[in-house]
Structure formats: C-alpha cells, structure tokens
Amino acid sequence: MEVWLDFHRATSKTECAGLSAKQLGRQAVAPSPLSLRGLLRHLTEVERYWFAEVFSGHESADLHCTGDDPD
C-alpha cells in the first residue's frame, strides 16, 4: 500500500510542478468542473478518510467539501 501511495503522490506532484495557481484551478475538460486543484483536494480527502476513519477509527471533518457543496 505504501508503494501505491508513494507512486500516486509522486505522479500528482510531477503533474502539478511549475503550474501557477490559475493553471491549477483551470477546468481540465469541459463540461466537467474538475481541475488539478480539485483533484488534489479530492485525493487529500480520500487519503485522510482512509487513515483517520477506516484505519484509526477516528471521525474527521472534511477539509474541502461540505454538505452544501460536496464537490
């Protein structure tokens, strides 16, 4: 599992290296609202969920999404 996480973290870092905040926030492919920033936020939420809630059994609040804005 650690190798899998290391690979995906490194891939994300490589894909985002050298991009400005504006570029990271740009919609990748219309009509999807997904951007690289949004993808990184999603990956952060998922990883945090697995480590905090699934493996450790601790409930944690979402960092980037809300009930009103789940995306």
Side-chain angles (χ1 to χ4, degrees), residues 27 36 42 47 56 70:
Q27 182 181 14
L36 284 174
H42 169 74
E47 188 173 315
S56 299

Side-chain angles (χ1 to χ4, degrees), residues 39-49 63-64:
L39 180 59
L40 291 174
R41 286 179 174 174
H42 169 74
L43 294 173
T44 302
E45 292 276 5
V46 171
E47 188 173 315
R48 188 167 182 256
Y49 165 79
L63 296 174
H64 302 291

Side-chain angles (χ1 to χ4, degrees), residues 58-69:
H58 295 89
E59 190 171 327
S60 61
D62 291 328
L63 296 174
H64 302 291
C65 60
T66 65
D68 294 335
D69 187 11

Side-chain angles (χ1 to χ4, degrees), residues 13-24:
K13 185 176 179 180
T14 300
E15 293 296 323
C16 296
L19 297 177
S20 68
K22 184 176 181 179
Q23 290 170 317
L24 288 171

